[in-house]
Amino acid sequence: MLSPELQVQLSSIEANLKYFRSIAKEETEIGVVVKCDAYGLGLKKIVKFFTTQNIETYFTATLEEAIQVRKIDKSAKIYTLNGFYFERAHKYHKHNIFPVINSLNEVTKFLKSDICPSHVALQINSGMNRLGIDRKTVRENIDLIQKIPINLIISHLSSADEPNSVSNIEQKREFLKCCEHFPKIRKSLAASHGALLNKDFHFDLIRLGIGAYGGIKEANLLPVLQIKSPII
């Protein structure tokens, strides 16, 4: 008896990547989010595929996921979105993984660690109010924050799936004001929906997650999953 089957169309992921590249600014890098087992599609197989697509930057949720990515791609930049697990700082160093610093507490923990990762990303809370350091805290602690080796500034849009929402403009403005403290650091504001807004949100890096995997209803993006089941 045949069993139900979930098929992942890698050719559709490739087409979705191609579309995002076609709408991005020429100098904007395409990074991919592979958190939660690559959105349930299978981390190892998906990362192996991305190594054939000139992907150089990955975002995971946890350190454990990041280590799995490192085993497949030895040279990529890998960031952990859920923050800095300071009690395992040596593992970031060992596997060359970059934590995303989400709070002032993580900044101080990083500076107190004996063995630290070579670089970090700093997340700015521009208005989503989930993770990140707000502008006031950045301004009041800038001397401390500038001591950590930041190579990327990120934030996240709360209403990117609403193209006409004024909060997108407000968050971009807030993000840029924070970035004035870090003029030479690369910037990333847009995830998948944000990348579809317009090029003003692209900056140096776009973080593709659900958009790459066909989870956005958009005329130019293909579905990636197909379920086949026998009729009994």
Side-chain angles (χ1 to χ4, degrees), residues 34 56 59-60 65 71 79 84 91 94 96 98 109 120 122 125 141 145 186-187 191:
V34 291
E56 298 179 353
F59 295 86
T60 69
E65 290 174 339
K71 291 178 180 178
Y79 296 89
F84 177 45
K91 287 193 175 183
K94 177 181 178 180
N96 194 26
F98 308 151
K109 292 290 187 180
V120 302
L122 179 69
N125 175 21
N141 298 274
I145 293 172
R186 299 177 79 214
K187 298 183 286 294

Side-chain angles (χ1 to χ4, degrees), residues 150-162:
I150 303 169
N151 68 357
L152 182 67
I153 307 288
I154 73 171
S155 190
H156 199 73
L157 295 167
S158 62
S159 303
D161 57 344
E162 302 174 34

Side-chain angles (χ1 to χ4, degrees), residues 89-101:
H90 65 285
K91 287 193 175 183
Y92 292 94
H93 179 79
K94 177 181 178 180
H95 299 284
N96 194 26
I97 292 165
F98 308 151
V100 176
I101 300 295

